[in-house]
Amino acid sequence: TAGSAGMGFGPIIMNASFNSFRHNVYRDAMIISLMDTFTSLLAGFTIFSILGNLAFQLDVDVSHVAKTGPGLAFISYPMAVSQFTFFPQLFSVL
């Protein structure tokens, strides 16, 4: 999760500059780390469940459905959302 926390390192420093001198930075660091971990786990479960479902629907191995790199999230997820029968536009916005 260090890579995903690195994306927001600038705003973290900017927000920290507004804290008082006696602010509990350990609590804030713990909250940021836990939220970053939760977000990474949620994204992983979402992407890999979508890949498993697509592999099941196409009756192929997961290795044939999965693309490496950004294709996991930016190709597989829109493909899965486009197959929804109930408001695919709503789920694409969410």
Side-chain angles (χ1 to χ4, degrees):
T1 62
S4 57
M7 299 274 297
F9 195 66
I12 290 171
I13 292 175
M14 188 216 42
N15 285 331
S17 68
F18 290 105
N19 289 338
S20 66
F21 183 73
R22 303 227 184 269
H23 187 76
N24 188 359
V25 294
Y26 297 113
R27 182 195 57 172
D28 289 351
M30 195 61 132
I31 290 171
I32 290 170
S33 298
L34 289 175
M35 292 304 292
D36 183 55
T37 301
F38 173 73
T39 304
S40 297
L41 286 172
L42 181 65
F45 286 134
T46 302
I47 293 299
F48 288 112
S49 63
I50 286 171
L51 290 176
N53 189 24
L54 285 174
F56 178 75
Q57 286 180 351
L58 298 173
D59 197 27
V60 295
D61 193 38
V62 176
S63 63
H64 296 297
V65 177
K67 309 280 190 281
T68 59
L72 283 174
F74 297 114
I75 295 173
S76 302
Y77 186 72
M79 186 186 336
V81 169
S82 69
Q83 295 177 359
F84 285 1
T85 57
F86 182 72
F87 290 122
Q89 295 85 3
L90 174 67
F91 287 100
S92 66
V93 170
L94 291 176

